[in-house]
Amino acid sequence: MEALDNRPAGGDSSPAGRPRVPIGEYAFAGVTAAVGVYVLVAAAFIRVPVSSTSLGPKAFPYLVGALLLVAALAVLVGIRRGRLGEAEDGEDVDSSVPTDWLTVGKLLAFFIAHAYLVGLIGWPLAATVLFAGAAWTLGAAKLWRTILIGLALSLAIQFLFGSLLGLSLPAGPLLDWIPFL
């Protein structure tokens, strides 16, 4: 005789037989709603000239904020109806393995170093440190190759965004003498 599955559709039960509380889904809906409210409030402070007769710069943020609130409401309704997110069945995901906090710490340290180094050595070299450090942390075989690739990518991005698009990426004292950077 087959055992009946009394779990609610779309959800799973805890070992004690009680349905689990979908904390992650509620947190996602809450953060989405909070961002939507923030966008709407921030859009209200955008200055628009009195002579402006077109839609103006407030229209898009108001639209985005409203859509975020609608999306958060839709997620909440879905949660209440029992439609919960499913666990990812990725081929390389092993949920039984604990988080490698040393790797997370190294990556965080390289991001913080990048933010600090931009002002000291410029964006291209700081991005090279970030790229090479992240590649090394994640197991790159040859560090010298990742440094060269990181340098080539950061110089290309510096040229593209700094020179062609006119955005301000500081070249830094070591590369400030190069005219196209």
Side-chain angles (χ1 to χ4, degrees):
M1 184 165 183
E2 291 183 32
L4 295 176
D5 189 5
N6 291 330
R7 291 182 293 174
D12 59 346
S13 297
S14 65
R18 296 184 315 246
R20 71 173 177 93
V21 176
I23 305 257
E25 285 87 349
Y26 283 127
F28 175 75
V31 168
T32 303
V35 171
V37 168
Y38 173 77
V39 169
L40 290 174
V41 170
F45 290 101
I46 295 175
R47 292 186 181 194
V48 179
V50 178
S51 62
S52 177
T53 58
S54 64
L55 283 174
K58 289 185 178 186
F60 187 71
Y62 279 142
L63 176 67
V64 170
L67 288 175
L68 283 168
L69 287 176
V70 168
L73 182 62
V75 169
L76 284 174
V77 168
I79 293 169
R80 295 299 299 159
R81 290 184 177 173
R83 287 182 277 177
L84 304 177
E86 295 181 19
E88 184 177 329
D89 292 333
E91 62 187 52
D92 61 346
V93 177
D94 187 3
S95 60
S96 65
V97 176
T99 302
D100 182 7
W101 289 108
L102 180 62
T103 300
V104 172
K106 286 179 187 177
L107 290 172
L108 183 63
F110 281 112
F111 277 113
I112 292 170
H114 173 73
Y116 178 72
L117 289 174
V118 166
L120 293 176
I121 62 176
W123 191 89
L125 295 179
T128 302
V129 170
L130 174 63
F131 182 85
W136 169 74
T137 300
L138 297 174
K142 297 180 181 177
L143 185 60
W144 66 269
R145 186 184 314 166
T146 61
I147 292 172
L148 290 178
I149 291 170
L151 183 61
L153 283 173
S154 65
L155 288 173
I157 291 170
Q158 176 75 22
F159 176 72
L160 177 69
F161 284 89
S163 297
L164 298 179
L165 295 177
L167 299 177
S168 176
L169 293 175
L174 299 176
L175 300 175
D176 212 12
W177 58 273
I178 301 174
F180 62 85
L181 294 180

